[in-house]
Amino acid sequence: MTKHRMLRYAGRTLALAATALGTIAAAVPAAAEEQPTAGQIMADCASGEGKCTFNSPQLGEAYLGEPRQVSDLLYNCTDSAASQSMSWADTVGSSHSVGGSVTVGGGIEGIITASVTATYNYTWQSSHTETSSFTVNVQPGEVGWISRAQVMRRITGTWQTHYEDRKWGHYYWFVPDVVTGPAPNGTDGKHSAVVVKSRKMTAEEKKLCSTGSTADEVFTRAG
């Protein structure tokens, strides 16, 4: 084969490869009608219409997530400090940049789990729940509650979807993604934190203390 014929053959091969592969940016709607959105690709991954894999997962360093209220509120309407044992429960789920939350038991969860386990022998959790109790100390005229921050971790990777027949003009589509979810306590030296917080009552909350059956008592209500 002459050099000129070889170049023509290589050019045809590259053209065929280009028509079989498609890549879209994460969470960006397609500009042309024949191209899908990232959400449409992920829906096909979840339903099984597209044969999907989560390729080249990269584990990020663990970090402590934002604290959030996990208990009822404790109002101290008395003239002295009050203590009360309060139960709390916290469930932290996972999300990904191209499709919102990762549903427990859904098709996407299984694909991520298999990919990360195979690559790192790391047990990825799409959801984590903890419950316990804690003694809350609240000063007069203040409101107390229990707050918790969960150890989190990000995983970057690329979804590859394979269709038996061309869809949106291609057999394969690729979508970059970032998955964020709970990590085991102690990962990378980070530990979940449970703390008691308090603040002064608002004017409206003080009214609750001065009227009705709650006057001069300690009471709770859902936060």
Side-chain angles (χ1 to χ4, degrees), residues 1-13:
M1 184 180 296
T2 65
K3 181 176 181 181
H4 180 68
R5 292 181 61 190
M6 288 176 66
L7 290 174
R8 289 178 58 192
Y9 177 78
R12 287 198 300 270
T13 301

Side-chain angles (χ1 to χ4, degrees), residues 7-220:
L7 290 174
R8 289 178 58 192
Y9 177 78
R12 287 198 300 270
T13 301
L14 290 173
L16 288 172
T19 60
L21 305 177
T23 302
I24 58 179
V28 177
E33 285 187 5
E34 69 274 16
Q35 291 187 336
T37 63
Q40 288 174 310
I41 294 294
M42 297 312 303
D44 284 353
C45 286
S47 68
E49 181 178 345
K51 308 304 180 185
C52 293
T53 56
F54 187 61
N55 298 340
S56 304
Q58 299 292 320
L59 293 179
E61 185 175 353
Y63 64 96
L64 197 60
E66 290 295 321
R68 59 182 185 172
Q69 179 184 330
V70 294
S71 74
D72 289 343
L73 297 174
L74 179 64
Y75 294 79
N76 186 355
C77 297
T78 71
D79 294 327
S80 59
S83 297
Q84 184 168 313
S85 178
M86 299 184 68
S87 298
W88 60 266
D90 187 27
T91 297
V92 180
S94 298
S95 62
H96 60 135
S97 60
V98 297
S101 61
V102 177
T103 304
V104 177
I108 290 176
E109 179 197 35
I111 297 171
I112 298 173
T113 299
S115 176
V116 175
T117 300
T119 306
Y120 294 98
N121 195 28
Y122 171 77
T123 303
W124 177 76
Q125 296 177 307
S126 62
S127 179
H128 179 75
T129 299
E130 280 194 23
T131 60
S132 188
S133 60
F134 212 83
T135 298
V136 179
N137 300 303
V138 184
Q139 297 300 313
E142 293 191 352
V143 184
W145 68 93
I146 299 170
S147 180
R148 182 176 182 273
Q150 169 69 39
V151 178
M152 305 291 287
R153 199 170 202 177
R154 294 187 181 93
I155 304 172
T156 59
T158 300
W159 292 97
Q160 175 183 318
T161 306
H162 173 223
Y163 295 101
E164 295 297 330
D165 299 308
R166 290 181 190 271
K167 191 168 184 180
W168 298 294
H170 300 286
Y171 289 108
Y172 295 89
W173 283 93
F174 298 89
V175 181
D177 198 4
V178 180
V179 180
T180 302
N185 203 31
T187 302
D188 294 335
K190 303 296 190 302
H191 296 270
S192 298
V194 179
V195 297
V196 173
K197 292 190 174 183
S198 64
R199 60 170 172 78
K200 296 290 185 180
M201 288 187 191
T202 65
E204 289 298 317
E205 290 168 338
K206 288 179 179 179
K207 289 181 181 180
L208 295 174
C209 286
S210 61
T211 60
S213 60
T214 59
D216 299 322
E217 294 182 4
V218 175
F219 65 102
T220 61

